[in-house]
Amino acid sequence: MSTTESTESQPATVPAPDAPADPGHAHPGFFALMLGSIGVVYGDIGTSPLYALREAVVAGTGGGAPVRDTVLGILSLIIWALTVVVTLKYVVILLRADNDGEGGTLSLLALAQRAMGQPSRLVLACGIVGAGLFFGDALITPAISVLSAVEGLKLVTATLDPYVLPLTIAIIIALFLIQSRGTAAVAGWFGPITLVWFILLAVGGARHIADDPGILAAFDPRRAVTYLIHGGTTGFYVLGAVFLAVTGAEALYADLGHFGRRPIQTAWIVVAFPCLALNYLGQGALILAEPDALENPFFRLYPDWALIPVVILATAATIIASQAVITGAFSLTRQAIQLKLLPRMEVLHTSESHAGQIYLPQVNAFLLVGVIVLCLLFGSSSRLATAYGIAVTGTMVVTATLAIVVAWKHWRWPLAAAVLLMAPFLVIDFIFMAANMLKVVEGGYVSLTVAAIMFAIMATWVRGTDIIAAKARRDDVPLDLLLGQLDRKTTMPIVPGTAVFLTAERDLAPVSLLHSLKHYKALHEKNVILTIAVAGKPRVPESERVRLEPLVGRFSRVTMTFGYMEEPNVPAALALCRKAGWKPDIMSTSFFLSRRSIRPAARSEMPRWQDHLFILLARNAANATDYFRIPTGRVVEIGTQVLI
């Protein structure tokens, strides 16, 4: 017998004590990790030379002939942005702010929340903003990267111009369609291909520096400062374009857990930074020697006979960069679900050997539609560049802000020292953000709109689940009281087998238990109150996965703790209960789940639009049975109605 209804409640998760990461995870060799980081971590920033300098110089000259001081000033800004923002802020400092080896906005949020000792709405809001901005970036990166690469075909022959946009959309559709099949088979090529790409960047730039050796004066930071001082409003506009050169820097931090600090640092210092600097210098020298090259200075670095191979390699590099962003969106979404910032979604594993290879159909469809719309709406990488930057600068501001909290509370630095460490970077981030805000009307509204939508969704989900939890604590029966009453009843019929009742509130009687007693008027031989908890760390070792506590009579309580980057697999965790003395037989165990049918109350604690949004999210949440990997044939679902 099963009683169901059309909507589901939030996963049965509660905050859990911290647990150390699993130390038994084997890692490849240092060189393999460094090569992998070149492909995944630096794919995005490695494709910036396709458009960054061109857009910055066009902004600085207003479309006129390049001026020497302008080109040198812009080049100096790019080089020192790479030095200060990427090298100092991310490579040197933020890579040390890891959460058990994991990085990224939500990992930093979890670490900051844990360090605070109690939930902080301000810290939570920062994390939600950062996550929302990431989705804006995840839409724009594939569009601008692939477009800028395919546009190189126009230099081969002008007759290919009409085919640039259709070919770009075809590549993007193919990229998203293969996500369901996984990328494990081709991921091994990402590092080598991107390494060849960086070598191509260096060779293309180095062969043109001799066109104007004076371009090396761009290493003098005074060139950048002088340009900004005398550039006025134009200089401020240029900063928004200069920032295109450092987009992708967040990947350094987000992929920390995949490759480790030292491989990422070494890859940047030895490969990525020198190759990028050489390419930008070569483009600058070429522009000064041949002003007409400003139309597309990157592809003009190479001889005509090499254009088609360079376009093909550039397209491959941009696909790899886009793949890294898509994979990052999948990972970020799963973390957000585990941290209760988003409702459950279907998570599919595309690799038997790599647990991190996941596919989220809903997220993939959202990104595919969004990227195609952006390509059709803007039509070219130059126009799309106006939409780029705001999301990344916002994420950088959030990261720097959370880093202050971590340095203060987790590293236990004096607040003044924590602020002093990050304040210079925050100032730079805010300046870049202000410069990018000038592009809101031209295209910056895209990332802001996406971020606002994601913020509304996550804030609504957090608020709605808090209201439901508070309502449960106020109205539901305390577990101790119910068990005491059951223990005194000697006439209650006993049926064979084990019943497992899932609940989010470990001290309250599960709604499914109350309804089971009401309908069946019987108890199982063994009854387990199961709570699934999410730790503030990415992974929890198996030795601390399960905690078993005997309760009154035939009842016991099991608490399963998972890291926010782990898959909550209930049957696998139940197998660990054998070490604690309980030997569950999955074929004689029934799982009782309550499914909430949520309706808007006459007087709600949220605005009406949030009520309807929360109800929509709850109705479309993934089935708890599938999400927790519970065998469908062993599940009894009991429906209840909740007013919000």
Side-chain angles (χ1 to χ4, degrees), residues 78 98 210 582 586 588 611 622 639:
I78 289 176
D98 65 291
W582 176 40
I586 198 73
S588 64
D611 283 342

Side-chain angles (χ1 to χ4, degrees), residues 269-403:
I269 295 170
V270 175
V271 178
F273 191 13
C275 293
L276 288 170
L278 282 172
N279 190 268
Y280 283 123
L281 290 169
Q283 287 190 52
L286 177 63
I287 290 170
L288 290 178
E290 302 176 28
D292 292 342
L294 183 57
E295 179 188 358
N296 203 325
F298 176 83
F299 287 105
R300 291 285 292 272
L301 291 175
Y302 305 94
D304 292 341
W305 60 265
L307 275 179
I308 292 181
V310 171
V311 169
I312 293 173
L313 187 57
T315 304
T318 55
I319 289 173
I320 291 171
S322 302
Q323 178 62 56
V325 172
I326 295 168
T327 302
F330 292 161
S331 298
L332 184 78
T333 303
R334 182 171 70 170
Q335 291 181 40
I337 293 169
Q338 289 289 74
L339 292 172
K340 298 200 293 185
L341 301 178
L342 287 173
R344 288 188 302 265
M345 297 183 194
E346 184 180 11
V347 179
L348 304 177
H349 290 261
T350 58
S351 171
E352 295 182 0
S353 56
H354 300 282
Q357 291 279 341
I358 58 174
Y359 168 67
L360 282 77
Q362 292 168 289
V363 177
N364 194 66
F366 165 73
L367 293 177
L368 171 59
V369 173
V371 171
I372 291 177
V373 168
L374 287 181
C375 288
L376 294 174
L377 185 63
F378 289 90
S380 71
S381 61
S382 290
R383 292 184 61 195
L384 197 53
T386 60
Y388 212 17
I390 293 179
V392 184
T393 54
T395 305
M396 288 183 172
V397 169
V398 169
T399 301
T401 304
L402 292 175

Side-chain angles (χ1 to χ4, degrees), residues 27 103 113 251 289:
H27 293 284
Q113 288 279 49

